[in-house]
Amino acid sequence: MSAKQHLHTFLQHAGQADFDERTGAAPVALPSMRTSTVRFKSLDHLDQAATDRSAGGRSVVYGRAGMDTHRALEDVFCALEAGERAFLVPSGMAAITLAVMSVVSQGDHVLAADCAYGPVRTLDQNVLQRMGIQTTYCEPTVEAFSAALTPATKVLYVESPGSLLMQMLDMPALAAFAKAHDLILIADNTWGSGLSYQPLSLGADVSVVAGTKYVGGHSDLMLGAVIAKDKAIADKIDACNYALGFSVSADDAWLALRGVRTMPLRMRETAANALKVCEALSQWPEVKTIYHPAWKEDAYHELWQRDATGSNGMLSFSLTIDSARARRFVNALTLFGIGFSWGGFESLVQLVDKNSVASHSYWGHDNAVLLRLHIGLENVDDLIADLTRAFSLSLQK
Ligand SMILES: *Cc1c(COP(=O)(O)O)cnc(C)c1O
């Protein structure tokens, strides 16, 4: 990407097909280049590609790594995340797995933010522990991480803003801490997806993104990416990725390329809608706390202003109602689908399981009900009307 070009411009021009030499014509958008293997003009060309690959280059000698469509999407992730190398994997969870597995060995210790995406604990319990890798979950502050640091600690795993409560972390301070103790800092950046937040620019070593969410943007795609800026770390990820055998369909890479072109528009709209919903919810006496870093009363609003360049449609709010009423409220909503995930065009609601949020130190373990919304691209007045109507209906048993 040229230094003078804005990211939004780059996203419209990324992945252009080359002109046909004979006709001088090219399709505007790169087609999906499906292939399971690659053929070479000569053995010399194959040798050249293999040499480049063993030096850590992007040359393709076999289909698993993907060709032009994949490469274009990798370039997009590098531009979004301000990284040097990007690796595509079949889901956001696979991105987390790849990032962690690339840098840990038997006997290592991982420090993890207690606000990280829930299934990180499943990776820890079902896989890492069997490999002799221990993980400690901490309140995501330098103080708490310092207290839990051991001589075996190798990785600091964080997510900012965190899952469920969108708690902003002080990424530059955590990066300084990681550097001082020679830890690799991995950050889940699904929330920012490179547009609203850039962990690598704030000092992290590796960024992971669930392209399933805002990058794809249309709730029809599972995809993940791991992005690194340092060559030594990128080479480790490359080797691990090859060994684990992750591969992404060219059609999925193509869908992500198509989705990402409108990500700036979608994110801006959904973020503006979410703020209006915060404003409306703040008027309800039963609403206790709104969790959305762009909201002026969020506890981490200042940190968000300092480190983020935008927001999105994710918000949570706690309510002083009993869980039976919360269930009636959710069931009465008509424009919000009951479901997990986010980042698509549509609004979603999740009645957050108490157990999943109880492990987040920021939650405070009180008895309030917690709801998470993804605000979609519907008309926001319709969304607010739906919330208001369903909430008053929920009074009737
Ligand atoms: C959804 C999500 C993931 C996992 O992505 P999948 O593509 O669903 O596997 C990882 N991290 C965060 C923060 C997420 O919200």
Side-chain angles (χ1 to χ4, degrees):
M1 184 173 58
S2 115
K4 281 186 237 95
Q5 217 173 64
H6 290 89
L7 187 55
H8 297 190
T9 305
F10 174 79
L11 291 177
Q12 310 317 317
H13 290 256
Q16 283 186 335
D18 289 337
F19 290 114
D20 180 281
E21 274 183 28
R22 193 176 55 81
T23 62
V28 170
L30 197 64
S32 164
M33 192 176 280
R34 295 183 64 96
T35 194
S36 67
T37 192
V38 181
R39 67 190 169 93
F40 288 88
K41 206 171 170 180
S42 71
L43 282 172
D44 290 346
H45 286 92
L46 169 60
D47 291 347
Q48 183 56 49
T51 307
D52 175 66
R53 238 208 84 68
S54 40
R58 173 64 176 82
S59 282
V60 176
V61 293
Y62 182 61
R64 203 189 289 140
M67 296 190 72
D68 301 24
T69 321
H70 294 74
R71 183 194 295 259
L73 183 60
E74 287 166 17
D75 289 348
V76 162
F77 275 112
C78 284
L80 285 170
E81 297 290 327
E84 291 297 323
R85 278 296 296 277
F87 302 88
L88 304 180
V89 288
S91 70
M93 193 57 219
I96 295 170
T97 302
L98 175 61
V100 174
M101 296 300 271
S102 296
V103 295
V104 291
S105 301
Q106 187 181 14
D108 285 353
H109 176 239
V110 176
L111 284 175
D114 65 12
C115 61
Y117 180 61
V120 168
R121 291 172 197 254
T122 318
L123 173 67
D124 161 24
Q125 283 153 18
N126 293 356
V127 182
L128 297 182
Q129 287 180 21
R130 279 196 294 115
M131 310 283 143
I133 296 147
Q134 299 305 319
T135 304
T136 308
Y137 301 90
C138 300
E139 184 187 352
T141 61
V142 170
E143 296 69 40
F145 284 129
S146 300
L149 192 72
T150 79
T153 311
K154 292 282 155 56
V155 171
L156 179 58
Y157 183 90
V158 302
E159 182 180 326
S160 176
S163 277
L164 302 178
L165 301 173
M166 274 65 79
Q167 163 186 17
M168 292 294 299
L169 274 53
D170 190 342
M171 193 67 75
L174 294 171
F177 165 76
K179 208 176 168 75
H181 298 281
D182 219 8
L183 313 179
I184 295 177
L185 176 54
I186 303 174
D188 185 330
N189 192 33
T190 302
W191 184 91
S193 289
L195 268 192
S196 317
Y197 195 65
Q198 278 187 337
L200 298 186
S201 303
L202 296 170
D205 299 299
V206 180
S207 181
V208 299
V209 177
T212 308
K213 310 287 167 57
Y214 276 107
V215 170
H218 295 76
S219 302
D220 52 10
L221 170 71
M222 304 292 302
L223 187 120
V226 180
I227 306 97
K229 57 186 182 188
D230 173 78
K231 181 161 180 346
I233 294 177
D235 286 349
K236 283 187 187 180
I237 299 168
D238 194 12
C240 187
N241 190 30
Y242 190 76
L244 291 178
F246 286 134
S247 184
V248 168
S249 157
D251 290 356
D252 286 346
W254 181 85
L255 275 175
L257 268 178
R258 190 170 77 162
V260 83
R261 300 199 197 277
T262 55
M263 184 163 73
L265 293 175
R266 290 184 281 103
M267 260 202 175
R268 203 187 304 146
E269 180 78 3
T270 191
N273 283 354
L275 268 185
K276 287 184 189 151
V277 172
C278 288
E279 187 71 57
L281 291 175
S282 70
Q283 309 297 314
W284 297 11
E286 295 87 349
V287 169
K288 208 174 148 200
T289 310
I290 296 173
Y291 301 93
H292 180 75
W295 172 239
K296 57 183 192 277
E297 283 162 28
D298 187 274
Y300 293 91
H301 187 61
E302 274 180 31
L303 213 46
W304 173 80
Q305 282 181 315
R306 189 192 72 183
D307 290 345
T309 51
S311 175
N312 65 28
M314 292 299 289
L315 70 97
S316 292
F317 59 109
S318 60
L319 286 149
T320 51
I321 57 173
D322 62 27
S323 60
R325 185 172 176 200
R327 294 181 74 87
R328 290 195 298 272
F329 174 33
V330 170
N331 284 331
L333 289 165
T334 60
L335 294 178
F336 292 79
I338 301 173
F340 301 105
S341 199
W342 42 281
F345 50 84
E346 80 290 17
S347 289
L348 291 167
V349 57
Q350 180 190 349
L351 177 58
V352 178
D353 174 21
K354 284 264 170 67
N355 294 323
S356 53
V357 74
S359 53
H360 295 216
S361 48
Y362 180 36
W363 174 235
H365 311 279
D366 65 10
N367 284 323
V369 157
L370 183 67
L371 289 179
R372 186 178 80 166
L373 301 181
H374 174 251
I375 304 301
L377 300 174
E378 299 92 342
N379 177 291
V380 68
D381 295 332
D382 291 345
L383 294 177
I384 292 168
D386 193 36
L387 288 163
T388 311
R389 186 196 50 83
F391 196 57
S392 62
L393 270 181
S394 71
L395 269 177
Q396 301 163 19
K397 297 228 167 94

